[in-house]
Amino acid sequence: MDAAATTADLLAALAPSWSAAVVLASYLAYLAAAGALLPGKLVAGAVLPDSSRLHYRCNGLLSLLLLLGLSALGVYMGWMTPTVVADRGLELLSTTLIFSVIVSFLLYYTGLRSRHQSSSLKPHATGSFIEDWWFGVQLNPHFMGVDLKFFFIRAGMMAWLFINLSLLAKSYLAGSVNRAVILYQFFCGWYIIDYFIHEEFMTSTWDIIAERLGFMLVFGDLVFIPFTFTIQGWWLLRNKVELPLLASVANCIIFLIGYLVFRGANKQKHLFKKDPKAPIWGKPPKVVGGKLLVPGYWGIARHCNYLGDLLLALSFSLPCGASSVIPYFYPTYLLILLIWRERRDEARCSEKYKDIWAEYCKLVPWRILPYVY
């Protein structure tokens, strides 16, 4: 009887609601308006196959800070509670999932009807509905002047932070804030804010340059990032974890190493793409075939940034202790995803660079983790 009642309560909580739809619509409308109106650095994207370049207004940090300020004002004035997002977590999950499915169908339909010949808008249909709907038809579709791919990534990253802050408020009101909660919140908050400080680096990543926009990215950005990357926060809300001091220090070291590798590798790649002669670790860069960077982090492993990302993901879960595998869903999923993505990237680079890639692989034999893989 208790199990049946629990299941019924869970299904009821998962039911989408109009109030959740209003929260989601208001959030996305704010991001669209802030992205268009707030000042920000205009960054040129990577050169596309037709030699064109998109430009991105990187004002995500300002948009985030303004939204945090408006939210704080709303809480202070009594217009909203600090736990509003966490209180409606499952409603928002199902509502956002439905929205993602609808958007993906619209992207598929409008993409097939596109007559544009530019690299960003030209349809790349395979003829398979599942594949085209899943991976997308267009590289960089727009809606009312908004680059949807860049927009959805920004929305997912900010939502991750706001769900965490709402969970922190619930923990504070319940009197359950401890070292484990503080470490988890600090690590995630640092990572997210740092992402927006260096938002322009996103313009040179695989997602922006190579992936088409379909259900895989829409769901990943709007649903998967905010609602699964916060599993640790939900776990800590319902499970008290007493983290020893030594374990906390080790956790901080893992986070720091992961951050330095992840941010350092992505920064080197971004700077190299802007200026191939820019020094790496104080020395002129060694380049294979005039295109592939060998020194720095990229001389350690061909996908060294993935190693940093995996260490960061692990550091987000370690504050939850070792009593359950549930908080370790994120690093486990990320490991599988990045190995799959690394394989796809290797095949793409081998086809694109041919002998140059083979030479680079000889110089840098390790894929992600030196001496292991």
Side-chain angles (χ1 to χ4, degrees):
M1 183 67 71
D2 291 340
T6 300
T7 302
D9 291 342
L10 178 61
L11 291 176
L14 267 171
S17 65
W18 286 112
S19 58
V22 169
V23 171
L24 176 63
S26 301
Y27 173 64
L28 295 178
Y30 165 80
L31 288 183
L37 299 176
L38 294 179
K41 182 179 180 181
L42 198 62
V43 178
V47 178
L48 299 176
D50 62 357
S51 299
S52 64
R53 301 182 78 167
L54 298 178
H55 289 78
Y56 302 90
R57 187 177 300 279
C58 294
N59 55 8
L61 181 61
L62 186 56
S63 300
L64 173 61
L65 294 177
L66 179 59
L67 185 55
L68 284 171
L70 292 173
S71 300
L73 177 63
V75 171
Y76 177 77
M77 297 299 292
W79 300 334
M80 58 183 286
T81 66
T83 62
V84 61
V85 178
D87 291 339
R88 299 184 179 277
L90 293 177
E91 292 176 38
L92 285 168
L93 168 61
S94 58
T95 302
T96 308
L97 174 59
I98 292 172
F99 175 77
S100 300
V101 173
I102 294 173
V103 167
S104 300
F105 276 114
L106 291 174
L107 287 170
Y108 171 78
Y109 178 73
T110 57
L112 289 181
R113 291 171 57 88
S114 174
R115 295 295 180 265
H116 289 275
Q117 295 302 310
S118 64
S119 294
S120 59
L121 298 176
K122 180 180 179 180
H124 299 271
T126 65
S128 167
F129 165 74
I130 295 298
E131 185 174 347
D132 291 338
W133 177 74
W134 181 269
F135 289 108
V137 176
Q138 294 175 298
L139 185 63
N140 297 101
H142 287 65
F143 177 71
M144 297 179 65
V146 176
D147 184 296
L148 293 178
K149 189 190 294 185
F150 198 65
F151 176 78
F152 288 151
I153 294 173
R154 177 180 290 183
M157 292 296 292
M158 283 195 196
W160 179 10
L161 179 63
F162 276 91
I163 292 175
N164 268 349
L165 291 177
S166 192
L167 290 170
L168 178 61
K170 286 183 77 73
S171 295
Y172 176 79
L173 293 174
S176 60
V177 175
N178 58 13
R179 183 184 296 158
V181 173
I182 292 172
L183 281 181
Y184 165 72
Q185 291 286 345
F186 174 77
F187 292 156
C188 290
W190 181 287
Y191 179 87
I192 296 166
I193 292 174
D194 179 78
Y195 168 88
F196 285 109
I197 291 175
H198 300 97
E199 190 177 30
E200 68 174 277
F201 294 176
M202 189 64 198
T203 63
S204 58
T205 59
W206 168 275
D207 283 353
I208 294 294
I209 295 174
E211 295 281 19
R212 300 189 297 275
L213 185 61
F215 180 75
M216 183 182 72
L217 281 188
V218 175
F219 172 81
D221 292 338
L222 296 182
V223 180
F224 206 86
I225 288 177
F227 292 101
T228 62
F229 289 12
T230 53
I231 286 176
Q232 302 95 321
W234 290 103
W235 175 265
L236 290 171
L237 182 64
R238 290 164 171 76
N239 299 271
K240 187 175 182 179
V241 178
E242 296 294 343
L243 204 62
L245 179 60
L246 185 60
S248 302
V249 172
N251 200 169
C252 290
I253 292 173
I254 292 172
F255 172 79
L256 182 60
I257 294 173
Y259 171 75
L260 291 175
V261 173
F262 175 77
R263 177 55 59 217
N266 284 328
K267 183 177 181 180
Q268 287 178 355
K269 178 179 69 174
H270 183 76
L271 293 177
F272 174 72
K273 289 187 175 183
K274 289 181 64 177
D275 180 10
K277 296 182 180 180
I280 302 295
W281 287 347
K283 298 179 180 179
K286 179 181 179 181
V287 181
V288 177
K291 297 179 179 180
L292 300 176
L293 183 65
V294 175
Y297 290 104
W298 299 97
I300 297 174
R302 300 198 293 272
H303 304 274
C304 200
N305 54 332
Y306 291 176
L307 174 60
D309 215 358
L310 288 168
L311 289 173
L312 286 169
L314 179 62
S315 74
F316 299 160
S317 298
L318 287 174
C320 298
S323 63
S324 172
V325 298
I326 293 176
Y328 291 87
F329 171 80
Y330 172 32
T332 303
Y333 152 79
L334 191 65
L335 176 63
I336 297 170
L337 172 70
L338 293 182
I339 290 177
W340 173 66
R341 176 168 286 189
E342 171 265 322
R343 293 286 178 169
R344 291 176 63 203
D345 193 26
E346 292 271 328
R348 173 176 168 268
C349 290
S350 179
E351 181 181 351
K352 180 178 180 180
Y353 298 114
K354 296 182 172 57
D355 292 342
I356 297 176
W357 182 254
E359 182 182 352
Y360 174 62
C361 291
K362 290 179 181 179
L363 293 172
V364 187
W366 305 108
R367 295 171 181 260
I368 296 177
L369 181 60
Y371 304 104
V372 176
Y373 177 75

